[in-house]
Amino acid sequence: QVQLVESGGGLVQAGGSLRLSCAASGAIFGPYTMGWYRQTPGKQRELVATITRDGTTNYADAVKGRFTISRDNAKNMVYLQMDSLKPEDTAVYYCNARLRLTLREFDYWGQGTQVTVSL
């Protein structure tokens, strides 16, 4: 299995930047689609960005042009560079690893890291 640990969250003023990191261990990292999701109280967890093993990225409309997801398979790391942060970006951000095979599906989550954007 893949174990995921997020870091890099914190408090930042609107317009500022943060870089989230996700360290993966426990299994082969490369085949997984990696993603970042976020959740606020009273809302369902929502997709922020994903990146496949070949580097194809997908972003939620709310973050497109401001956030950048990247991965380094050699280092077993996934990153989320967040620029031009807005108060509505405040949430707990979760790292996700997904591997869908013909007869089995794997889905792993980190513990989350808090991002708070002040006015």
Side-chain angles (χ1 to χ4, degrees):
Q1 64 175 9
V2 174
Q3 294 174 302
L4 307 172
V5 179
E6 302 98 331
S7 62
L11 176 64
V12 65
Q13 292 185 359
S17 298
L18 284 174
R19 182 178 176 86
L20 304 184
S21 298
C22 175
S25 64
I28 298 174
F29 181 80
Y32 287 83
T33 294
M34 305 300 299
W36 289 95
Y37 294 72
R38 65 187 183 186
Q39 187 171 24
T40 57
K43 297 181 64 178
Q44 291 188 331
R45 192 171 299 182
E46 64 180 5
L47 180 137
V48 176
T50 61
I51 181 167
T52 67
R53 56 190 174 190
D54 66 354
T56 301
T57 58
N58 181 53
Y59 297 92
D61 288 341
V63 307
K64 196 170 298 182
R66 300 187 297 119
F67 291 8
T68 303
I69 188 172
S70 61
R71 66 191 293 166
D72 187 337
N73 290 339
K75 297 180 179 179
N76 291 337
M77 296 289 292
V78 182
Y79 307 97
L80 184 68
Q81 178 66 43
M82 304 185 294
D83 299 320
S84 301
L85 282 162
K86 305 174 181 179
E88 49 263 46
D89 294 320
T90 296
V92 177
Y93 284 71
Y94 297 89
C95 182
N96 171 254
R98 288 178 296 173
L99 179 62
R100 294 190 174 96
L101 305 176
T102 302
L103 299 177
R104 192 175 180 184
E105 181 179 270
F106 300 88
D107 195 25
Y108 302 103
W109 295 91
Q111 81 288 345
T113 185
Q114 177 71 48
V115 172
T116 302
V117 184
S118 64
L119 293 171

